[in-house]
Amino acid sequence: MFAPVDIASLAIFRICFGAIMFWEVWRYFAQDRVTRYYVEPELLFKYYGFTWVEPWPGDGMYWHFILLGVLSLFVMVGLFYRLSTILLFPAFTYVFLLDQARYLNHFYLVSLICLLMIFIPAHRALSIDALIWRNRRSDVAPAWTLWLMRLQLGIVYLYASFAKMNADWLRNEPPRMWLAGQTDRTLIWDEGIPIGQLFTQEWFVQFYTWGGLLFDLLIVPALMWRRTRALAFAVCLGFHLMNAWVFSIGIFPWFMICATTLFFEPDWPRKAKLLFAPFREGDRPHVHPTVVSPLRQRIIVTLMGIYLAVQLLVPFRHLLYPGIVHWNEEGHRWSWHMKLRSKDCRGAFFVTDPRSGATTIVTMDRYLAPHQDKALGRPDMILQFAHFLRDKWQARGFEQVEVRAKVRCSLNGRPFQMYVDPHVDLAAEPRTLGHVDWIVPLRTPLGPEGTE
């Protein structure tokens, strides 16, 4: 773990990671997402325990994203790298925690990578820091820094495959539904080959379903084995590029393609003469392995063990809850359950003054932004919206308010069924990490061919 390995692959990953982060910040400004996501909404859904996280007042959110862009550039070029990574982690995680409606698995992964980058000396080569402070320059890094990144990425792939081992996915749902909505896709150009017609063919649906599961399960071992590495990387490129083309899922495919190179030999950029041409062999300083005291080694190993134990155990927490996780959502987040469900929900809330008996019907779109529409299928967000209505009505002078919801949902093409017990006063229900009994269990199984 403490033996020296070539730092080249970590330096290249640092450059790519910073560039992708800067691109994402640029997209937020170019598409006016800062305003639409964090300035205009009247309600932001908070994670349990993080209700204190609030948007900056005034123009603060715009300045915050400018800071994110600057820090991303500093990481990319390796300028004040340690300070930049120390600031980037809380700055990005703050944005991530602002609204549950913006939860994405790859944003969670980016937050974790930002944390790990604080401890990885990826700035000791190909960086401005290394040019300014030549005593910081090094050709090597401890092996544990590379393996920590590999293990984190391996966990993502492995648990994504575990999550696909469920009855719906193995019956080709929801992939069949998603692909059926992409039949207008053409290859290369707008009037090109109408490849989207293949998406409704059963053999292609089967290929996508089983290919996705086997890819997640086998890609890391295939990348680690030198004999299969080239083929595995080609498959990886095809898989992520197809997802980027068909589903438009933001930076995730590009980030994973970049991160995949960490499974290559650590010196692959030097062998490929990738960006290392300015550092001729004779110019590189002779580097002696850093001597790490036994106490420091034990501390590093202990912290790594704790971190990896959390990453390995948390995705299984949905097993502590009764019911199907893709329906009740309990334990769904932080578990690498990526694109495994298609849930269509419809309904309304009923705000009642128990003294007069007067009831007002409220739909979510009255108060929420369009990107928050998924809230109707997330129990914790349903409860938060009910509390939001309770507080709003109490602010208008109603001392006691009851809030009920009539919500019907369809999971992966099933018939609609009641999702929330309409008799429960959600205004009186507390938020909890435990199981809630007002979620109506899923009653309809998926048919043998993916249809009812």
Side-chain angles (χ1 to χ4, degrees), residues 157 215 219 231-241 256-257 260:
Y157 279 121
F215 172 83
I219 189 61
L231 176 61
F233 186 60
V235 172
C236 184
L237 284 175
F239 177 83
H240 289 300
L241 290 176
M256 293 306 287
I257 290 172
T260 297

Side-chain angles (χ1 to χ4, degrees), residues 47-48 100 103 105 108 159 162-163 310-338 340-341 343 377-381 419 432-436 439:
Y47 294 93
Y48 187 88
Q100 283 189 49
Y103 176 86
N105 281 286
Y108 172 46
Y159 280 87
F162 289 165
V310 171
Q311 292 300 311
L312 289 169
L313 293 175
V314 166
F316 285 125
R317 77 191 189 286
H318 68 88
L319 299 176
L320 301 175
Y321 299 95
I324 299 173
V325 62
H326 300 142
W327 175 257
N328 59 34
E329 304 286 332
E330 294 176 319
H332 190 277
R333 295 187 184 91
W334 335 110
S335 302
W336 313 117
H337 287 205
M338 296 179 280
L340 294 179
R341 72 212 189 290
K343 187 183 291 184
R378 312 291 189 266
D380 183 62
M381 297 168 74
Y419 190 54
T432 176
L433 290 177
H435 172 65
V436 294
I439 304 174

Side-chain angles (χ1 to χ4, degrees), residues 160-176:
S161 70
F162 289 165
K164 289 181 174 66
M165 297 175 188
N166 67 78
D168 280 17
W169 186 272
L170 297 180
R171 294 188 178 104
N172 306 314
E173 293 295 350
R176 180 183 284 110

Side-chain angles (χ1 to χ4, degrees), residues 114-131:
C114 287
L115 172 63
L116 299 183
M117 292 290 282
I118 295 174
F119 306 98
I120 293 175
H123 64 305
R124 295 185 178 274
L126 275 180
S127 69
I128 296 178
D129 284 353
L131 293 175

Side-chain angles (χ1 to χ4, degrees), residues 59-310:
D59 294 333
M61 289 307 302
Y62 302 103
W63 286 109
H64 187 92
F65 273 85
I66 290 173
L67 174 64
L68 278 176
V70 172
L71 292 174
S72 299
L73 283 177
F74 279 15
V75 169
M76 181 180 72
V77 301
L79 177 61
F80 306 122
Y81 170 82
R82 287 297 190 190
L83 177 61
S84 297
T85 53
I86 290 173
L87 294 176
L88 183 62
F89 167 64
F92 182 86
T93 304
Y94 159 79
V95 174
F96 175 76
L97 292 173
L98 276 174
D99 191 2
Q100 283 189 49
R102 292 293 302 146
Y103 176 86
L104 294 170
N105 281 286
H106 65 263
F107 282 172
Y108 172 46
L109 177 59
V110 166
S111 184
L112 294 177
I113 296 299
C114 287
L115 172 63
L116 299 183
M117 292 290 282
I118 295 174
F119 306 98
I120 293 175
H123 64 305
R124 295 185 178 274
L126 275 180
S127 69
I128 296 178
D129 284 353
L131 293 175
I132 297 176
W133 297 283
R134 294 184 64 84
N135 62 323
R136 298 184 183 179
R137 188 172 160 194
S138 175
D139 281 347
V140 299
W144 67 264
T145 60
L146 182 59
W147 279 102
L148 181 59
M149 298 293 285
R150 289 173 173 175
L151 288 169
Q152 177 62 78
L153 296 168
I155 287 171
V156 174
Y157 279 121
L158 184 63
Y159 280 87
S161 70
F162 289 165
K164 289 181 174 66
M165 297 175 188
N166 67 78
D168 280 17
W169 186 272
L170 297 180
R171 294 188 178 104
N172 306 314
E173 293 295 350
R176 180 183 284 110
M177 299 171 60
W178 296 334
L179 292 171
Q182 303 291 334
T183 55
D184 59 340
R185 292 287 180 175
T186 57
L187 191 62
I188 303 177
W189 58 87
D190 292 341
E191 302 299 328
I193 304 171
I195 194 174
Q197 295 177 6
L198 295 175
F199 293 173
T200 57
Q201 300 294 316
E202 186 62 20
W203 69 266
F204 189 88
V205 176
Q206 292 276 359
F207 171 77
Y208 183 89
T209 300
W210 285 96
L213 191 157
L214 293 174
F215 172 83
D216 289 335
L217 183 64
L218 301 175
I219 189 61
V220 171
L223 287 167
M224 294 298 298
W225 192 24
R226 188 173 300 178
R227 293 185 178 181
T228 56
R229 183 173 296 151
L231 176 61
F233 186 60
V235 172
C236 184
L237 284 175
F239 177 83
H240 289 300
L241 290 176
M242 179 179 177
N243 282 334
W245 172 58
V246 175
F247 298 115
S248 302
I249 50 179
I251 64 172
F252 182 69
W254 314 104
F255 173 81
M256 293 306 287
I257 290 172
C258 169
T260 297
T261 62
L262 290 172
F263 291 99
F264 297 172
E265 296 297 330
D267 62 347
W268 75 265
R270 296 192 196 275
K271 292 179 178 178
K273 301 187 183 303
L274 183 61
L275 298 181
F276 278 81
F279 298 92
R280 298 187 302 273
E281 190 69 29
D283 292 337
R284 299 200 199 110
H286 182 68
V287 178
H288 295 278
T290 302
V291 177
V292 182
S293 68
L295 175 59
R296 188 176 179 184
Q297 289 188 22
R298 286 195 293 271
I299 292 173
I300 292 173
V301 171
T302 300
L303 292 177
M304 281 183 60
I306 294 172
Y307 175 83
L308 292 172
V310 171

